Amino acid sequence: MERKWWTLVAVCTAIFMLLLDITVVNVALPKIAQSLHASFTDLQWVIDAYALSLAVFVLTGGSLADLLGRRRVFAAGVALFTGASILCGAATTPLFLILARALQGIGGAIMFATSLALLSQAFRGRERGTAFGIWGATTGAAVAIGPLVGGALTDGLNWRWIFFVNIPIGIFTLVVAFTRVDESRDETHGGIDWLGLATLCGALFLLVYALLRGNDKGWTSGQIVAELVGAVVLLAAFCTVELRQREPMLDLRLFRNPAFAGAQIVAFTLSASAFAMFLYLTIYLQGPLGYGPLGAGLRFLPVTLLSFAIAPIAGKLSAHVPVRLLLAGGLVLVAAGMLLMRGLNTDSTWTALLAGFILLGAGIGMVNPPLASTAIGVVDPRRAGMASGVNNTFRQVGIATGIAGFGAIFQHRFQSEVATLHPSPAVIQAGRDGFTHAFVVGLNELFLIAAIVALAGAVCAFALVRGRDFAQNEPANS
């Protein structure tokens, strides 16, 4: 087999492993909580530590690869991800797992940032389109089967195996990378934007930390106020740094294009509404409804499989239907799905979620392909790599802030309902109906807020994403 096809094998295997670890963890969270005696905030950090490090380092990973060599940096990312997976599986405390997940996110960001560059170097002409198509199908398959794989591993073996399964995959990928993938680099690259990396990382960490700790510390406490102010200050510093850099990690001038700004809003709102809710839906399925990890994974299949099935149809439609209609329409379906799931009570079964799951899956599948093409199609082709990285950053920041923000709202509503129902903590533990009532009240509120977020994204998509803003060499509908 030619070396270029081995490059495709290495890249697709790595991306499959990376994306599988985003979805595979959700259904194992209740078991992780039991095993490590983790709190609700700990579980939020298990997801957010991965999402935040992936969001921040994906912009730097591409620059590092251009500077040091794409194959070398890709292999380093695979090695880091695999080593961090071993640490995740061996974790003995929640903090240990959270830190290992952050390392996983850095390795994943490096793999993600270098994958398309390696394919672009290896393939030309029509074969490049074929390679990108296989890459896209791999990402969809990983997301689709993630909950099922996570449930099967957790139920059949142990939650630690959702991480240990990455070891043979990582070793195989490393062997192929070092023996079958050609090296390439950009000799004209100016270097890494370390100051931009530091200020963005600090701003996002302080923001998410404040959202996660606000209920416990008090939203008007000096610590929380200082963290929120610090996040704003660091974010302003990041913008200032990027505007003054000769080669910024995020060129803010790209946002002058309304369609590019609209694409980032869509990425953020889709993640903050749909993907952030998966954590709370998983806890609902395995908590009040009492399903195991595999049972929960099976019940997520309407979302993941429908998303996988709709995505190629949406990709073909984007050549004939105005892109903004697909983006806005998909987010409207997401919002409608959230509203259909709202109204749960203590007697509800999982089928009360089914209609909402169907619309949610259809909406996600309708948004993702045109979103990816819009993110890179409205900029100069020379900025396509940065544009793709920015879009992925907004996706991951949406997940991280969505989980943290929803968690603050959910905890406040849950605790208020519990206090009203049962003043005594001992009675709370004994009364499953009271717990379930408080849980579904909080979850119903999250459904409403998620629907509002998705609708806001739909309005922005329709208003901002215009055909005339696409690059001249990109076909687009207005």
Side-chain angles (χ1 to χ4, degrees):
M1 188 163 63
E2 294 181 65
R3 293 177 73 87
K4 60 186 176 183
W5 296 110
W6 278 113
T7 301
L8 180 63
V9 169
V11 165
C12 287
T13 303
I15 291 301
F16 184 84
M17 178 172 62
L18 155 67
L19 294 177
L20 192 68
D21 243 50
I22 294 176
T23 54
V24 79
V25 173
N26 280 330
V27 294
L29 287 175
K31 292 293 186 182
I32 292 173
Q34 293 174 15
S35 176
L36 300 183
H37 307 290
S39 67
F40 180 62
T41 300
D42 292 331
L43 295 184
Q44 290 173 297
W45 269 117
V46 169
I47 303 297
D48 276 0
Y50 186 86
L52 283 177
S53 56
L54 190 63
V56 173
F57 286 92
V58 72
L59 291 172
T60 301
S63 297
L64 198 64
D66 289 342
L67 190 64
L68 301 179
R70 296 180 180 116
R71 183 188 68 172
R72 179 185 300 173
V73 172
F74 172 77
V78 174
L80 179 58
F81 188 93
T82 305
S85 296
I86 297 172
L87 293 177
C88 287
T92 54
T93 66
L95 179 60
F96 191 125
L97 179 58
I98 290 165
L99 293 176
R101 285 283 286 168
L103 283 177
Q104 256 197 327
I106 297 173
I110 293 171
M111 292 192 301
F112 199 89
T114 53
S115 62
L116 291 181
L118 285 171
L119 293 183
S120 295
Q121 180 69 26
F123 291 90
R124 295 286 185 275
R126 184 175 297 177
E127 285 186 339
R128 180 180 290 180
T130 301
F132 281 5
I134 295 172
W135 182 89
T138 301
T139 63
V143 173
I145 70 170
L148 193 60
V149 171
L153 289 172
T154 304
D155 266 351
L157 296 170
N158 185 284
W159 67 264
R160 298 180 187 276
W161 281 93
I162 65 174
F163 301 111
F164 288 151
V165 73
N166 292 331
I167 299 172
I169 300 174
I171 292 172
F172 169 78
T173 306
L174 282 172
V175 170
V176 174
F178 280 120
T179 60
R180 293 290 185 269
V181 176
D182 293 326
E183 184 62 281
S184 63
R185 58 170 52 85
D186 181 3
E187 302 292 350
T188 65
H189 197 277
I192 299 171
D193 181 7
W194 294 112
L195 191 55
L197 174 65
T199 50
L200 180 60
C201 186
L204 293 178
F205 176 81
L206 286 178
L207 174 62
V208 171
Y209 189 83
L211 290 174
L212 291 178
R213 301 297 297 171
N215 279 325
D216 293 337
K217 299 292 184 181
W219 291 101
T220 58
S221 68
Q223 177 183 335
I224 298 301
V225 171
E227 288 165 355
L228 291 173
V229 171
V232 172
V233 170
L234 284 174
L235 189 58
F238 170 74
C239 293
T240 302
V241 167
E242 297 309 284
L243 287 171
R244 294 182 177 180
Q245 287 275 26
R246 187 171 65 88
E247 292 191 16
M249 63 186 284
L250 196 166
D251 189 349
L252 296 176
R253 290 171 296 183
L254 293 174
F255 288 89
R256 293 175 182 172
N257 185 319
F260 182 80
Q264 311 323 312
I265 293 172
V266 170
F268 180 89
T269 53
L270 177 66
S271 292
S273 58
F275 294 111
M277 280 298 297
F278 286 152
L279 169 62
Y280 303 96
L281 287 166
T282 298
I283 295 174
Y284 175 63
L285 287 170
Q286 295 190 50
L289 294 189
Y291 292 106
L294 181 57
L298 286 169
R299 283 158 181 82
F300 274 121
L301 284 179
V303 179
T304 55
L305 292 182
L306 197 56
S307 171
F308 185 53
I310 293 293
I313 299 173
K316 292 179 180 179
L317 283 176
S318 62
H320 308 285
V321 177
V323 173
R324 63 179 180 174
L325 292 184
L326 292 174
L327 296 176
L331 284 171
V332 168
L333 287 178
V334 170
M338 294 296 174
L339 293 176
L340 276 179
M341 288 186 278
R342 190 167 179 258
L344 298 175
N345 56 53
T346 54
D347 297 322
S348 296
T349 63
W350 88 273
T351 54
L353 303 171
L354 184 56
F357 276 3
I358 291 172
L359 289 185
L360 185 61
I364 293 171
M366 186 180 293
V367 169
N368 273 330
L371 175 58
S373 62
T374 300
I376 63 173
V378 297
V379 302
D380 187 302
R382 292 171 296 180
R383 291 298 181 89
M386 177 184 288
S388 178
V390 171
N391 195 246
N392 190 59
T393 294
F394 272 81
R395 288 175 184 265
Q396 299 305 322
V397 171
I399 292 174
T401 55
I403 286 175
F406 285 161
I409 296 167
F410 178 81
Q411 282 182 296
H412 176 74
R413 190 59 189 269
F414 178 83
Q415 290 166 359
S416 298
E417 287 296 319
V418 165
T420 301
L421 289 168
H422 300 297
S424 167
V427 178
I428 296 170
Q429 295 298 322
R432 181 175 178 83
D433 288 343
F435 169 86
T436 302
H437 172 80
F439 193 101
V440 297
V441 167
L443 192 58
N444 284 331
E445 187 160 331
L446 295 191
F447 285 138
L448 177 60
I449 295 170
I452 293 171
V453 171
L455 286 175
V459 171
C460 291
F462 189 80
L464 295 174
V465 180
R466 305 167 302 182
R468 63 178 178 271
D469 293 321
F470 278 68
Q472 291 299 313
N473 64 333
E474 289 286 340
N477 294 285
S478 59

